[in-house]
Amino acid sequence: MTTERPPAGSRSPGLREQKKRATREALTLAALRLALERGLDNVRVEDIAAEVQVTTRTFNNYFATKYEALVARHVDRSRQAAEALRARPAGEPLWEAINHAVLSPLTGSGRASESPDPELLDGIRLIAAEPALQAEALKATLAADGEFAAAVAERTGTDADRDMFARLVAGSVATAVHVATDQWLRADPPVPLIPLLRQALRQVAAGLPAPPADAAR
């Protein structure tokens, strides 16, 4: 049995870095929890900081606004996906590696493989509909796309600045994730997220062939 080694130059995060990640995660979860309980307009930065028992200054070391805190998990998952893509075996086909990398931040929790609680989903829908949060999510997605494009470029021997390929792949993956997540939010009854992500990535990898005429009607 062989063990896959981490890529050259990679290191496990030190204790300080682990604490920073834990604080960032706690702030993000507190922001989401309070927004679901009170409504997004009724949540202040001070409330989020107090929930985690840190100062507002500490909050501001991680996030500029409550909206940034709320989209942080999406940003972190995108960055984790880029790291995971770099760690995939070199001989693995590109889209197979991408599929594993994109799903890897979700597969550990188990919840993404289950149907969400309907009441929780209703709350997330309300929060996701906020224009300010949508704008922050778009900004975060564009930033994360650059990191994923760099990982694709490294894997394929292309240049993310000069060649369109890596950016087209990253943009396609981001769109697939967005569409699958939107489908997950709108599904009635609720359905698990991971199968939707797999389906979206599979269709993109196949070149988005047109569905049969009967299915398109």
Side-chain angles (χ1 to χ4, degrees), residues 24-131:
R24 176 184 171 89
E25 175 77 0
L27 289 168
T28 297
L29 292 175
L32 177 59
R33 184 166 57 250
L34 291 174
L36 290 171
E37 291 174 357
R38 306 178 184 179
L40 188 54
D41 290 341
N42 300 317
V43 177
R44 303 173 304 160
V45 166
E46 292 83 355
D47 301 327
I48 301 170
E51 188 80 1
V52 185
Q53 298 182 337
V54 299
T55 64
T56 54
R57 181 177 180 180
T58 296
F59 177 95
N60 291 326
N61 286 337
Y62 292 90
F63 306 112
T65 66
K66 63 183 179 182
Y67 305 108
E68 191 174 310
L70 281 165
V71 303
R73 296 194 86 185
H74 171 68
V75 175
D76 291 346
R77 284 170 179 168
S78 297
R79 289 173 177 163
Q80 290 166 16
E83 293 174 3
L85 182 59
R86 290 186 172 98
R88 297 302 302 174
E92 189 174 40
L94 176 62
W95 282 100
E96 184 177 339
I98 286 174
N99 184 74
H100 285 294
V102 171
L103 295 178
S104 63
L106 294 168
T107 51
S109 66
R111 291 187 178 182
S113 299
E114 303 172 357
S115 297
D117 177 77
E119 291 187 7
L120 174 63
L121 201 57
D122 285 342
I124 295 175
R125 287 188 189 115
L126 289 174
I127 296 172
E130 291 284 343

Side-chain angles (χ1 to χ4, degrees), residues 85 90 92-95 98 149-160 163 165-167 169:
L85 182 59
E92 189 174 40
L94 176 62
W95 282 100
I98 286 174
V152 172
E154 291 172 20
R155 188 175 188 86
T156 58
T158 56
D159 190 312
D163 303 320
F165 180 78
R167 287 181 291 140
V169 170

